[in-house]
Amino acid sequence: MESTLSTFVIQALHGLVYGMLLFLVASGLTLVFGMMDVLNIAHAAFYMLGAYLGSTLLVATGNFWLALALAPLG
């Protein structure tokens, strides 16, 4: 029992460290591209995802204002 718990804790810490590493790399790239005035493709992808989610919610609910409120939360 204790072996599986310690394995879980170690794996959770490794996942947390790897997530922080990915965050630092992404933040650094965003900073560099922002200073160079280069458009980041991820921004356009997030706009597209939000528009798709908003239109899907509009079709599902039939209420524009409800879709407008729920799309950013999604």
Side-chain angles (χ1 to χ4, degrees), residues 24-73:
L24 285 174
V25 169
S27 298
L29 286 174
T30 301
L31 181 66
V32 168
F33 286 141
M35 296 298 278
M36 292 172 40
D37 288 332
V38 174
L39 179 66
N40 192 350
I41 303 301
H43 293 122
F46 276 122
Y47 282 126
M48 180 193 65
L49 183 64
Y52 178 75
L53 186 60
S55 65
T56 302
L57 286 171
L58 178 63
V59 169
T61 62
N63 188 347
F64 173 77
W65 297 109
L66 182 63
L68 188 66
L70 292 179
L73 296 176

Side-chain angles (χ1 to χ4, degrees), residues 2-25:
E2 187 171 321
S3 174
T4 58
L5 183 61
S6 64
T7 302
F8 176 74
V9 170
I10 289 171
Q11 291 296 322
L13 287 175
H14 282 189
L16 185 65
V17 168
Y18 188 65
M20 285 194 261
L21 177 68
L22 288 177
F23 173 75
L24 285 174
V25 169

